[in-house]
Amino acid sequence: ILSTTGDLYRWHLALAGGKILSKAEREKSITPWVSQGRAAHSSYGYGWAVEEGPKGGRLVSHIGGNLVFDSDFRRYLDAGVVIVLSTNSTDYSAIPVGPHVQNRVFGLPDPEPPAAAPADPALLAKLAGVYALPSGDRLEVKVAPGGARLAITALGPQAFPLLLSIEDEEDRQRMEAREQKIGEMLEALRAGNAEPLAKLRSEPPEKAAAEAKTTLAPWQERLGTWQSAQVLGNGSYGGHPYTYARLTFAEGPKIVEYLWSGMGIEAVHFMDAPPAILFVPQPDGSFANFDVRTGGVVHVRFEGTDLAATGAGGLVRAKRVG
């Protein structure tokens, strides 16, 4: 179905009237019949997620996507508010923007992205390089395309947490659970057991095993036998949550990226390195990344030959080595 935000609002008006559904049918559709799970705040009606709104009343909503289009449709029935967001680009998701719009519409606290300052291309070029953490893991700093921002890539499991902004305990536990699930799935898959992968993909084990075989075959042909796997950590890009792992083959490694939808895997991609996170120059001389998904901010400052990163995990320093 192709639609627009305006047409979806017209659909809301039609559902609220009596031409599409009778009053009894309409009430059935927005009654919370079945819980969405232990960690969920909402229950399922007939096609809608139903929960209490931010200031009471009933919120019925649904999100959806297909790896290109992402949409969020929120109907605050007792408040007379409707929020419809949609994107048609893989670069940025509409879904994590929804809570921010909700907060601002209802006058609730909402984090402000850090204000940007003009970029000095010459300074950015000087800062580009490789910085080593005490663990030996590295951060690779480059000038982003366009020359106005820095692009920082985490290389190693100790580097990933520095660039991920986690603001609350629930989110941190969710990230840890995802890493554990990926680790257990990869260990089982190497042993020939596709059951954990099937659960994460919500599909029969036979299908999951066939998909894994097809996905791994090109890399095994080029790089030899799959020998080991290491979970690197989580990332957040354009509002999408990911977990990254390094698969080591006989003749070299590949990075594999898992895109999450809830607690399941929606897509898998192989790459040479994880994507870089973009940092914007700040008025005080530092650089900042705002994660729209969590509302958290990571600050990076360059002091002599050191890179100092400050986020949810505190202050960590890395020394320039290249």
Side-chain angles (χ1 to χ4, degrees):
I1 297 175
L2 297 180
S3 187
T4 66
T5 53
D7 279 349
L8 286 173
Y9 179 64
R10 292 173 64 197
W11 180 237
H12 157 75
L13 295 177
L15 290 176
K19 293 183 179 180
I20 304 297
L21 298 174
S22 69
K23 183 177 180 181
E25 290 169 336
R26 186 167 65 249
E27 192 59 33
K28 273 188 177 182
S29 74
I30 57 176
T31 296
W33 299 104
V34 179
S35 171
Q36 288 187 293
R38 287 182 301 171
H41 300 292
S42 58
S43 299
Y44 276 124
Y46 287 177
W48 292 101
V50 185
E51 60 185 300
E52 184 177 339
K55 291 193 172 181
R58 187 158 36 181
L59 163 61
V60 299
S61 64
H62 209 293
I63 60 173
N66 62 359
L67 305 183
V68 179
F69 295 88
D70 273 344
S71 298
D72 190 355
F73 193 177
R74 297 167 170 249
R75 306 167 62 213
Y76 304 82
L77 299 183
D78 301 294
V81 172
V82 178
I83 297 174
V84 186
L85 303 105
S86 190
T87 47
N88 59 359
S89 168
T90 57
D91 295 335
Y92 214 91
S93 172
I95 294 172
V97 178
H100 297 291
V101 177
Q102 170 188 276
N103 289 343
R104 291 167 188 257
V105 168
F106 287 94
L108 301 174
D110 194 67
E112 283 288 346
D120 179 350
L123 173 62
L124 297 188
K126 288 181 180 180
L127 298 177
V130 178
Y131 297 79
L133 298 168
S135 65
D137 288 352
R138 301 187 174 198
L139 297 169
E140 184 179 36
V141 180
K142 294 182 178 180
V143 180
R149 297 171 294 181
L150 289 178
I152 303 181
T153 303
L155 303 176
Q158 301 301 314
F160 264 82
L162 302 183
L163 304 184
L164 183 67
S165 13
I166 300 177
E167 290 297 300
D168 61 66
E169 181 64 18
E170 183 179 339
D171 198 35
R172 187 187 65 79
Q173 291 178 358
R174 188 182 300 114
M175 295 296 102
E176 289 179 353
R178 286 172 174 168
E179 290 184 28
Q180 181 177 350
K181 287 177 182 291
I182 292 295
E184 292 171 350
M185 178 273 292
L186 289 171
E187 184 177 347
L189 198 58
R190 283 194 64 246
N193 177 12
E195 288 276 356
L197 175 62
K199 290 180 180 179
L200 289 175
R201 294 285 286 160
S202 298
E203 59 189 20
E206 299 79 12
K207 183 177 180 181
E211 287 181 351
K213 184 178 180 180
T214 301
T215 302
L216 287 166
W219 304 112
Q220 289 178 318
E221 289 175 7
R222 298 180 199 178
L223 300 173
T225 308
W226 177 20
Q227 297 182 334
S228 64
Q230 179 186 26
V231 177
L232 297 176
N234 300 289
S236 183
Y237 305 93
H240 299 283
Y242 298 91
T243 298
Y244 294 88
R246 180 190 292 115
L247 304 192
T248 301
F249 299 87
E251 298 182 20
K254 290 295 290 186
I255 302 297
V256 60
E257 173 188 78
Y258 297 97
L259 169 62
W260 289 93
S261 177
M263 288 306 290
I265 297 171
E266 186 170 344
V268 181
H269 296 109
F270 280 78
M271 55 189 63
D272 292 325
I277 294 180
L278 298 178
F279 283 78
V280 179
Q282 300 295 288
D284 65 357
S286 67
F287 296 81
N289 170 266
F290 175 76
D291 185 353
V292 68
R293 188 181 60 84
T294 65
V297 178
V298 174
H299 290 275
V300 167
R301 185 178 295 277
F302 295 85
E303 302 170 347
T305 59
D306 287 359
L307 179 157
T310 306
L315 173 64
V316 178
R317 294 183 180 275
K319 289 194 172 295
R320 184 164 186 160
V321 294

